[in-house]
Structures are given as C-alpha cells and as structure tokens.
Amino acid sequence: MDGLDISSLLPPSLLLPPRLSAHKYLMVCTLTVAAWDTLVLSPRTWRLYKTQGWPLLKITYQFLRYLMPIEFAIVAVAFFDSSWSLERCQHFFLFEPIVTAFLMAIASLSLAVRMYAIWDKSKVVMFTLGALLFVQVVVQAICCAFYEVVPLDVGQGCIAGPKHNWVGIYWAAPTIFYTATLGFAIARSRKSQLVRPMNLWKLFLRDGLNLYGAIWLVNMINVLFWLIVTPNGPEDTIKTIITSMTAVLTTTMTLRVILGIRGQLNNGGTYSGMSSSSQPSHSNPTTSSAARKGPTASEGPVPAGARHSLSQNIRSNPGGGQTYTIEEMRAKTQRDWAAGEQEEEDGKSGYALGEDDVVDHDSLSDRRRGEKAAPLAEDERDAASVKGKNPGGIGVKVTIDREFQ
C-alpha cells in the first residue's frame, strides 16, 4: 500500500484539474451572492411592486430580479450534477450564453434609461448609449453561435466555452457600454458639484457612482481574463471562470441603481443633484386674503430668473378682499373675539346688528373699554362692507412667494 496513488481511486467528479476546481469554487461564491441579494432585496422589491403604474424601469427591475436567480439555479444544476451525460449537455450548453445575453441587455437598457433621465433627456446621451446598446445586442447574439461544450470528463459538469478567442467580444461589447455609462455618470456628478459644492464621498454615494464603478470593474476584469489568460487546452475553462459572477454582479448593481432613484420611476426618474427643490431658498413674507371657503386652487407662473413664486388661490368671490400679513391676521383674530363679546353685550342691552350694518372692530374694542366707537368714513365703509347678497360668496387667496439663489 506504500506506493498506491489514492487519486486513481477517485471518480472524475472529485478528481478535478486545479483551474476547474477553482471554477467550481467561484461558482459557489456566485450562487451565494445571488441568493443573498435575492433575500436582502425582497422587502424593497415588494414596496416597489406595490407602487402605482408600471414604468419601464419597474418592468426591467422585475425581469432582472427574477430572471437572474432562476438562470443560475438551472446553470448550477448542470454545473455540479455528476449524472449529466455529454449528450444531454449538447442540448443544454447554449442556455447560459443566450439567457445571460438577454440579462445583460435588460441591465444595459435600464442604465441607458437612467442616464437619459439624469442628463435631462440629452440627445447626445440617447444616441450614444442607444448605439452602444444596439451593438451589444447584435454582437452577443452573433457570439452565441460560436460557443461549444467544454470537453470534460463525465461527472465534471456541463460548461459552455468559446470556439475561438475572438468570441471574447461577447463581453467586450457590454464593457464598452458600461464604460460610457460610468463616464456619463461621473460627468453629471461633476457638473452638479460645480453648482452645489459637496463632499466627494457624499457625492459618490448620492449619485451611486460606486454602483456604476462596480459594474464597470467586474466587466473589465472579465474581459482581461478573455484577452490575456491562455488556457492549457480545450478542456481548460479559465476564460469563462468569472463570467457567471460578472453577470450576477452586473444585475445586482443595476437593481440597486433602480432602487436608489428618488421619487417615481416615470421617464427614468429624477436627478436630485440639479433639481430646483434642492437649492437653498429664502422666503418672503406670506400674504393671505380673508375668507371662508372656495373650490379651486391655481398656481402662478414661474418667471425666468432666480425667483420662484408658488401661488395657491382658493376663491369664490371675484371682487377679492383686503390683504393681511400673518401678524395682521393674528391681530384681526383678537379683534374678532372682542367684537363677538361686544355683540353679546349689545344683544343683552337690546341692540342687534343688522345684515347691512358695518362694524369697525377697533371701535368695538374701544367701546368694550368704555370708549366711544369712531364712525367709519365713506371710503372705509365701501372697502369694509360685507355684502350679504353677493352671489359669489367670500373666498380665500393664499400666495406664497419663495426666492431661490
């Protein structure tokens, strides 16, 4: 027994070459990332699902969310199942290249829509990323025809590999797209920082540059494996060793880009870095017109420049009314209270106000203190007159002026 080689007693499924063994370990890591990401994003996925409407990014999110774990669960069965025969693998090996191409196309489409939105629907961004996305889809579709079964021993798994070295453009095309996406994201963040100076780390996290950078990095490493590393033979799987991890990380980072969008997902969402609501503001005094009720609200126009006026007008009286500031409204409330008490005292003394009577609240307050009430002048009487027969009723007009710098 001293000279016996125990490796000769192992089945092919356990007697693996070093690179194939490393490939299987990395596949386990890939499945772990996919399972963990699926579990962690479940609450946020459910909240997104309950939102109203189905914009494009919400649809692509759902595709990516469920297609990725389903694909790699099936691929893992073929990869680790030692009972798979070569004949069965011949009918299955194109599953991963085709589905992965579809997965990467949806991820790229999501990022293109997002870039188009944060660049305020720029034609340059749309045509650049649109052309790169088209090239990616065409290239990956063509490259799927140049995959073959890696000739492994029975029980070592079913893996698809390239027939030629140039098939690496299957991954080079999306890498070019993600390079452009990262460049656009950095340029947009830099542009917003010139308008609103911000700490680089906060800017990095706010705009999700770490997500775009992770997508670019993992795809670039994958392309380098295809272009630089030389296989030891046709059974060596070194070129495809991190392709599954690349697809999973690209998908998970894209999902986080979509979830990181503030507000609605319509038209790619909004970009907080340049929105007017994020600018510092200085408020002017608030004014209001006296009144009771009204059915409608309207907004005033927004003039060009640094001044933004938000006007809420609720009214049913076309004639308008006297304008008060907040302080005057508080003082008026106190005068109305005093007037109410005086009316109650007048009622006890046998005097009641008529419908067309005009009362000066300051005079009522003076009368309450025992002073003689001053009569209203003719023009003051017209301005303060309460028209009981006014068919329009009394309305409310609230105007809020806000100045931005």
mmCIF file of all heavy atoms in Angstrom, residues 72-106:
data_model
loop_
_atom_site.group_PDB
_atom_site.id
_atom_site.type_symbol
_atom_site.label_atom_id
_atom_site.label_comp_id
_atom_site.label_asym_id
_atom_site.label_seq_id
_atom_site.Cartn_x
_atom_site.Cartn_y
_atom_site.Cartn_z
ATOM 1 N N PHE A 72 -29.308 31.084 -12.900
ATOM 2 C CA PHE A 72 -28.124 30.478 -12.303
ATOM 3 C C PHE A 72 -28.456 29.301 -11.394
ATOM 4 O O PHE A 72 -27.583 28.483 -11.104
ATOM 5 C CB PHE A 72 -27.302 31.538 -11.582
ATOM 6 C CG PHE A 72 -26.616 32.463 -12.543
ATOM 7 C CD1 PHE A 72 -27.130 33.716 -12.826
ATOM 8 C CD2 PHE A 72 -25.478 32.046 -13.210
ATOM 9 C CE1 PHE A 72 -26.507 34.557 -13.730
ATOM 10 C CE2 PHE A 72 -24.847 32.867 -14.124
ATOM 11 C CZ PHE A 72 -25.363 34.129 -14.385
ATOM 12 N N ALA A 73 -29.687 29.183 -10.985
ATOM 13 C CA ALA A 73 -30.096 27.952 -10.312
ATOM 14 C C ALA A 73 -30.086 26.787 -11.303
ATOM 15 O O ALA A 73 -29.636 25.674 -10.981
ATOM 16 C CB ALA A 73 -31.481 28.122 -9.698
ATOM 17 N N ILE A 74 -30.558 27.039 -12.528
ATOM 18 C CA ILE A 74 -30.546 25.996 -13.564
ATOM 19 C C ILE A 74 -29.110 25.690 -14.009
ATOM 20 O O ILE A 74 -28.726 24.526 -14.182
ATOM 21 C CB ILE A 74 -31.413 26.436 -14.760
ATOM 22 C CG1 ILE A 74 -32.869 26.600 -14.315
ATOM 23 C CG2 ILE A 74 -31.314 25.431 -15.894
ATOM 24 C CD1 ILE A 74 -33.779 27.165 -15.391
ATOM 25 N N VAL A 75 -28.306 26.744 -14.188
ATOM 26 C CA VAL A 75 -26.906 26.542 -14.599
ATOM 27 C C VAL A 75 -26.147 25.754 -13.537
ATOM 28 O O VAL A 75 -25.314 24.896 -13.856
ATOM 29 C CB VAL A 75 -26.237 27.900 -14.858
ATOM 30 C CG1 VAL A 75 -24.724 27.739 -15.028
ATOM 31 C CG2 VAL A 75 -26.837 28.554 -16.105
ATOM 32 N N ALA A 76 -26.431 26.021 -12.264
ATOM 33 C CA ALA A 76 -25.735 25.311 -11.188
ATOM 34 C C ALA A 76 -26.043 23.820 -11.210
ATOM 35 O O ALA A 76 -25.173 22.993 -10.899
ATOM 36 C CB ALA A 76 -26.126 25.907 -9.840
ATOM 37 N N VAL A 77 -27.265 23.466 -11.551
ATOM 38 C CA VAL A 77 -27.608 22.040 -11.625
ATOM 39 C C VAL A 77 -26.765 21.346 -12.681
ATOM 40 O O VAL A 77 -26.197 20.266 -12.454
ATOM 41 C CB VAL A 77 -29.113 21.870 -11.934
ATOM 42 C CG1 VAL A 77 -29.439 20.409 -12.193
ATOM 43 C CG2 VAL A 77 -29.951 22.411 -10.791
ATOM 44 N N ALA A 78 -26.649 21.967 -13.862
ATOM 45 C CA ALA A 78 -25.838 21.370 -14.925
ATOM 46 C C ALA A 78 -24.352 21.399 -14.576
ATOM 47 O O ALA A 78 -23.585 20.536 -15.009
ATOM 48 C CB ALA A 78 -26.084 22.116 -16.235
ATOM 49 N N PHE A 79 -23.938 22.370 -13.787
ATOM 50 C CA PHE A 79 -22.533 22.536 -13.461
ATOM 51 C C PHE A 79 -22.054 21.526 -12.416
ATOM 52 O O PHE A 79 -20.925 21.028 -12.486
ATOM 53 C CB PHE A 79 -22.302 23.967 -12.962
ATOM 54 C CG PHE A 79 -20.868 24.380 -12.907
ATOM 55 C CD1 PHE A 79 -20.210 24.789 -14.042
ATOM 56 C CD2 PHE A 79 -20.164 24.350 -11.720
ATOM 57 C CE1 PHE A 79 -18.880 25.173 -14.005
ATOM 58 C CE2 PHE A 79 -18.836 24.730 -11.668
ATOM 59 C CZ PHE A 79 -18.190 25.140 -12.818
ATOM 60 N N PHE A 80 -22.916 21.210 -11.458
ATOM 61 C CA PHE A 80 -22.491 20.356 -10.346
ATOM 62 C C PHE A 80 -23.057 18.939 -10.401
ATOM 63 O O PHE A 80 -22.570 18.065 -9.691
ATOM 64 C CB PHE A 80 -22.903 20.992 -9.009
ATOM 65 C CG PHE A 80 -22.143 22.248 -8.683
ATOM 66 C CD1 PHE A 80 -22.726 23.489 -8.851
ATOM 67 C CD2 PHE A 80 -20.841 22.190 -8.208
ATOM 68 C CE1 PHE A 80 -22.029 24.646 -8.549
ATOM 69 C CE2 PHE A 80 -20.136 23.335 -7.898
ATOM 70 C CZ PHE A 80 -20.734 24.565 -8.078
ATOM 71 N N ASP A 81 -24.078 18.700 -11.185
ATOM 72 C CA ASP A 81 -24.686 17.379 -11.240
ATOM 73 C C ASP A 81 -23.748 16.409 -11.975
ATOM 74 O O ASP A 81 -23.477 16.567 -13.174
ATOM 75 C CB ASP A 81 -26.039 17.447 -11.935
ATOM 76 C CG ASP A 81 -26.830 16.155 -11.785
ATOM 77 O OD1 ASP A 81 -26.277 15.181 -11.206
ATOM 78 O OD2 ASP A 81 -27.974 16.108 -12.252
ATOM 79 N N SER A 82 -23.265 15.418 -11.273
ATOM 80 C CA SER A 82 -22.320 14.458 -11.866
ATOM 81 C C SER A 82 -22.993 13.444 -12.782
ATOM 82 O O SER A 82 -22.313 12.675 -13.460
ATOM 83 C CB SER A 82 -21.568 13.713 -10.756
ATOM 84 O OG SER A 82 -22.487 13.013 -9.922
ATOM 85 N N SER A 83 -24.319 13.431 -12.799
ATOM 86 C CA SER A 83 -25.026 12.457 -13.631
ATOM 87 C C SER A 83 -25.303 12.968 -15.041
ATOM 88 O O SER A 83 -25.871 12.239 -15.857
ATOM 89 C CB SER A 83 -26.347 12.048 -12.958
ATOM 90 O OG SER A 83 -27.210 13.163 -12.860
ATOM 91 N N TRP A 84 -24.948 14.220 -15.321
ATOM 92 C CA TRP A 84 -25.212 14.773 -16.644
ATOM 93 C C TRP A 84 -24.299 14.110 -17.668
ATOM 94 O O TRP A 84 -23.075 14.079 -17.505
ATOM 95 C CB TRP A 84 -24.987 16.290 -16.654
ATOM 96 C CG TRP A 84 -26.206 17.054 -16.241
ATOM 97 C CD1 TRP A 84 -26.856 16.968 -15.054
ATOM 98 C CD2 TRP A 84 -26.930 18.001 -17.028
ATOM 99 N NE1 TRP A 84 -27.940 17.805 -15.029
ATOM 100 C CE2 TRP A 84 -28.015 18.463 -16.235
ATOM 101 C CE3 TRP A 84 -26.777 18.513 -18.299
ATOM 102 C CZ2 TRP A 84 -28.934 19.388 -16.678
ATOM 103 C CZ3 TRP A 84 -27.694 19.461 -18.755
ATOM 104 C CH2 TRP A 84 -28.762 19.880 -17.958
ATOM 105 N N SER A 85 -24.898 13.642 -18.739
ATOM 106 C CA SER A 85 -24.132 12.989 -19.807
ATOM 107 C C SER A 85 -23.718 14.022 -20.850
ATOM 108 O O SER A 85 -24.250 15.141 -20.895
ATOM 109 C CB SER A 85 -24.969 11.892 -20.465
ATOM 110 O OG SER A 85 -26.117 12.449 -21.075
ATOM 111 N N LEU A 86 -22.814 13.643 -21.713
ATOM 112 C CA LEU A 86 -22.358 14.543 -22.769
ATOM 113 C C LEU A 86 -23.473 14.831 -23.765
ATOM 114 O O LEU A 86 -23.584 15.941 -24.290
ATOM 115 C CB LEU A 86 -21.159 13.925 -23.487
ATOM 116 C CG LEU A 86 -20.498 14.779 -24.575
ATOM 117 C CD1 LEU A 86 -19.976 16.080 -23.982
ATOM 118 C CD2 LEU A 86 -19.385 14.003 -25.263
ATOM 119 N N GLU A 87 -24.337 13.846 -24.018
ATOM 120 C CA GLU A 87 -25.449 14.041 -24.942
ATOM 121 C C GLU A 87 -26.440 15.070 -24.402
ATOM 122 O O GLU A 87 -26.929 15.929 -25.154
ATOM 123 C CB GLU A 87 -26.169 12.705 -25.206
ATOM 124 C CG GLU A 87 -25.362 11.692 -26.002
ATOM 125 C CD GLU A 87 -24.265 11.050 -25.163
ATOM 126 O OE1 GLU A 87 -24.359 11.121 -23.910
ATOM 127 O OE2 GLU A 87 -23.319 10.490 -25.745
ATOM 128 N N ARG A 88 -26.725 15.005 -23.136
ATOM 129 C CA ARG A 88 -27.637 15.978 -22.546
ATOM 130 C C ARG A 88 -27.009 17.370 -22.573
ATOM 131 O O ARG A 88 -27.701 18.375 -22.796
ATOM 132 C CB ARG A 88 -27.976 15.578 -21.111
ATOM 133 C CG ARG A 88 -28.973 16.527 -20.447
ATOM 134 C CD ARG A 88 -29.156 16.202 -18.969
ATOM 135 N NE ARG A 88 -29.759 14.889 -18.785
ATOM 136 C CZ ARG A 88 -30.046 14.381 -17.577
ATOM 137 N NH1 ARG A 88 -29.768 15.082 -16.479
ATOM 138 N NH2 ARG A 88 -30.585 13.176 -17.482
ATOM 139 N N CYS A 89 -25.721 17.431 -22.328
ATOM 140 C CA CYS A 89 -25.046 18.733 -22.329
ATOM 141 C C CYS A 89 -25.064 19.362 -23.722
ATOM 142 O O CYS A 89 -25.107 20.590 -23.850
ATOM 143 C CB CYS A 89 -23.608 18.557 -21.832
ATOM 144 S SG CYS A 89 -22.741 20.108 -21.528
ATOM 145 N N GLN A 90 -25.046 18.533 -24.758
ATOM 146 C CA GLN A 90 -25.078 19.053 -26.125
ATOM 147 C C GLN A 90 -26.382 19.805 -26.424
ATOM 148 O O GLN A 90 -26.405 20.701 -27.274
ATOM 149 C CB GLN A 90 -24.913 17.908 -27.128
ATOM 150 C CG GLN A 90 -23.519 17.315 -27.194
ATOM 151 C CD GLN A 90 -22.515 18.243 -27.870
ATOM 152 O OE1 GLN A 90 -22.892 19.237 -28.497
ATOM 153 N NE2 GLN A 90 -21.234 17.918 -27.743
ATOM 154 N N HIS A 91 -27.433 19.465 -25.728
ATOM 155 C CA HIS A 91 -28.722 20.138 -25.931
ATOM 156 C C HIS A 91 -28.921 21.319 -24.969
ATOM 157 O O HIS A 91 -29.910 22.057 -25.104
ATOM 158 C CB HIS A 91 -29.878 19.145 -25.735
ATOM 159 C CG HIS A 91 -29.920 18.059 -26.742
ATOM 160 N ND1 HIS A 91 -29.217 16.872 -26.608
ATOM 161 C CD2 HIS A 91 -30.556 17.967 -27.944
ATOM 162 C CE1 HIS A 91 -29.428 16.094 -27.649
ATOM 163 N NE2 HIS A 91 -30.257 16.729 -28.480
ATOM 164 N N PHE A 92 -28.012 21.479 -24.035
ATOM 165 C CA PHE A 92 -28.236 22.471 -22.985
ATOM 166 C C PHE A 92 -27.197 23.592 -22.973
ATOM 167 O O PHE A 92 -27.500 24.690 -22.476
ATOM 168 C CB PHE A 92 -28.235 21.771 -21.610
ATOM 169 C CG PHE A 92 -28.338 22.716 -20.450
ATOM 170 C CD1 PHE A 92 -29.560 23.246 -20.061
ATOM 171 C CD2 PHE A 92 -27.202 23.105 -19.743
ATOM 172 C CE1 PHE A 92 -29.665 24.129 -18.997
ATOM 173 C CE2 PHE A 92 -27.300 23.977 -18.669
ATOM 174 C CZ PHE A 92 -28.522 24.488 -18.293
ATOM 175 N N PHE A 93 -26.013 23.367 -23.514
ATOM 176 C CA PHE A 93 -24.885 24.260 -23.232
ATOM 177 C C PHE A 93 -25.117 25.702 -23.677
ATOM 178 O O PHE A 93 -24.520 26.632 -23.148
ATOM 179 C CB PHE A 93 -23.606 23.706 -23.891
ATOM 180 C CG PHE A 93 -23.574 23.867 -25.393
ATOM 181 C CD1 PHE A 93 -22.897 24.924 -25.980
ATOM 182 C CD2 PHE A 93 -24.213 22.950 -26.224
ATOM 183 C CE1 PHE A 93 -22.850 25.067 -27.356
ATOM 184 C CE2 PHE A 93 -24.162 23.082 -27.598
ATOM 185 C CZ PHE A 93 -23.486 24.151 -28.172
ATOM 186 N N LEU A 94 -26.011 25.948 -24.659
ATOM 187 C CA LEU A 94 -26.268 27.318 -25.111
ATOM 188 C C LEU A 94 -27.217 28.082 -24.194
ATOM 189 O O LEU A 94 -27.437 29.283 -24.398
ATOM 190 C CB LEU A 94 -26.840 27.302 -26.529
ATOM 191 C CG LEU A 94 -25.851 26.989 -27.652
ATOM 192 C CD1 LEU A 94 -26.575 26.972 -28.990
ATOM 193 C CD2 LEU A 94 -24.725 28.010 -27.671
ATOM 194 N N PHE A 95 -27.756 27.409 -23.184
ATOM 195 C CA PHE A 95 -28.712 28.073 -22.293
ATOM 196 C C PHE A 95 -28.062 29.274 -21.600
ATOM 197 O O PHE A 95 -28.620 30.394 -21.605
ATOM 198 C CB PHE A 95 -29.231 27.080 -21.256
ATOM 199 C CG PHE A 95 -30.101 27.703 -20.208
ATOM 200 C CD1 PHE A 95 -31.443 27.971 -20.466
ATOM 201 C CD2 PHE A 95 -29.588 28.036 -18.957
ATOM 202 C CE1 PHE A 95 -32.253 28.540 -19.492
ATOM 203 C CE2 PHE A 95 -30.397 28.607 -17.978
ATOM 204 C CZ PHE A 95 -31.721 28.865 -18.248
ATOM 205 N N GLU A 96 -26.889 29.088 -21.000
ATOM 206 C CA GLU A 96 -26.269 30.188 -20.252
ATOM 207 C C GLU A 96 -25.858 31.350 -21.153
ATOM 208 O O GLU A 96 -26.155 32.508 -20.818
ATOM 209 C CB GLU A 96 -25.069 29.681 -19.459
ATOM 210 C CG GLU A 96 -24.429 30.784 -18.610
ATOM 211 C CD GLU A 96 -23.266 30.284 -17.777
ATOM 212 O OE1 GLU A 96 -22.887 29.110 -17.920
ATOM 213 O OE2 GLU A 96 -22.727 31.073 -16.980
ATOM 214 N N PRO A 97 -25.182 31.146 -22.304
ATOM 215 C CA PRO A 97 -24.830 32.307 -23.134
ATOM 216 C C PRO A 97 -26.041 33.094 -23.616
ATOM 217 O O PRO A 97 -26.020 34.331 -23.631
ATOM 218 C CB PRO A 97 -24.066 31.682 -24.305
ATOM 219 C CG PRO A 97 -23.553 30.393 -23.785
ATOM 220 C CD PRO A 97 -24.586 29.898 -22.828
ATOM 221 N N ILE A 98 -27.110 32.405 -23.995
ATOM 222 C CA ILE A 98 -28.286 33.099 -24.532
ATOM 223 C C ILE A 98 -29.017 33.874 -23.433
ATOM 224 O O ILE A 98 -29.330 35.060 -23.597
ATOM 225 C CB ILE A 98 -29.229 32.085 -25.216
ATOM 226 C CG1 ILE A 98 -28.576 31.514 -26.468
ATOM 227 C CG2 ILE A 98 -30.556 32.751 -25.575
ATOM 228 C CD1 ILE A 98 -29.378 30.417 -27.148
ATOM 229 N N VAL A 99 -29.276 33.222 -22.312
ATOM 230 C CA VAL A 99 -30.013 33.897 -21.236
ATOM 231 C C VAL A 99 -29.172 35.016 -20.630
ATOM 232 O O VAL A 99 -29.695 36.080 -20.268
ATOM 233 C CB VAL A 99 -30.452 32.878 -20.166
ATOM 234 C CG1 VAL A 99 -31.177 33.576 -19.030
ATOM 235 C CG2 VAL A 99 -31.355 31.817 -20.783
ATOM 236 N N THR A 100 -27.864 34.806 -20.516
ATOM 237 C CA THR A 100 -27.000 35.859 -19.985
ATOM 238 C C THR A 100 -26.985 37.072 -20.909
ATOM 239 O O THR A 100 -26.975 38.222 -20.440
ATOM 240 C CB THR A 100 -25.572 35.328 -19.786
ATOM 241 O OG1 THR A 100 -25.590 34.244 -18.854
ATOM 242 C CG2 THR A 100 -24.659 36.418 -19.260
ATOM 243 N N ALA A 101 -26.982 36.832 -22.230
ATOM 244 C CA ALA A 101 -27.049 37.954 -23.176
ATOM 245 C C ALA A 101 -28.341 38.733 -22.993
ATOM 246 O O ALA A 101 -28.351 39.981 -23.027
ATOM 247 C CB ALA A 101 -26.938 37.433 -24.608
ATOM 248 N N PHE A 102 -29.443 38.036 -22.786
ATOM 249 C CA PHE A 102 -30.729 38.695 -22.549
ATOM 250 C C PHE A 102 -30.691 39.476 -21.237
ATOM 251 O O PHE A 102 -31.179 40.607 -21.151
ATOM 252 C CB PHE A 102 -31.831 37.642 -22.524
ATOM 253 C CG PHE A 102 -33.216 38.210 -22.449
ATOM 254 C CD1 PHE A 102 -33.733 38.988 -23.473
ATOM 255 C CD2 PHE A 102 -34.023 37.971 -21.349
ATOM 256 C CE1 PHE A 102 -35.009 39.513 -23.404
ATOM 257 C CE2 PHE A 102 -35.297 38.486 -21.260
ATOM 258 C CZ PHE A 102 -35.799 39.262 -22.297
ATOM 259 N N LEU A 103 -30.079 38.891 -20.206
ATOM 260 C CA LEU A 103 -29.964 39.543 -18.909
ATOM 261 C C LEU A 103 -29.135 40.820 -19.002
ATOM 262 O O LEU A 103 -29.519 41.871 -18.461
ATOM 263 C CB LEU A 103 -29.327 38.569 -17.918
ATOM 264 C CG LEU A 103 -29.460 38.859 -16.424
ATOM 265 C CD1 LEU A 103 -30.901 38.690 -15.972
ATOM 266 C CD2 LEU A 103 -28.554 37.925 -15.636
ATOM 267 N N MET A 104 -28.000 40.755 -19.702
ATOM 268 C CA MET A 104 -27.143 41.923 -19.841
ATOM 269 C C MET A 104 -27.811 43.012 -20.680
ATOM 270 O O MET A 104 -27.619 44.211 -20.432
ATOM 271 C CB MET A 104 -25.821 41.502 -20.483
ATOM 272 C CG MET A 104 -25.036 40.462 -19.703
ATOM 273 S SD MET A 104 -24.415 41.070 -18.133
ATOM 274 C CE MET A 104 -23.085 42.120 -18.716
ATOM 275 N N ALA A 105 -28.596 42.621 -21.665
ATOM 276 C CA ALA A 105 -29.292 43.617 -22.490
ATOM 277 C C ALA A 105 -30.309 44.394 -21.662
ATOM 278 O O ALA A 105 -30.436 45.619 -21.800
ATOM 279 C CB ALA A 105 -29.975 42.932 -23.669
ATOM 280 N N ILE A 106 -31.046 43.703 -20.787
ATOM 281 C CA ILE A 106 -32.025 44.390 -19.942
ATOM 282 C C ILE A 106 -31.319 45.307 -18.951
ATOM 283 O O ILE A 106 -31.758 46.438 -18.692
ATOM 284 C CB ILE A 106 -32.904 43.361 -19.210
ATOM 285 C CG1 ILE A 106 -33.697 42.535 -20.210
ATOM 286 C CG2 ILE A 106 -33.853 44.057 -18.241
ATOM 287 C CD1 ILE A 106 -34.535 41.456 -19.563
#
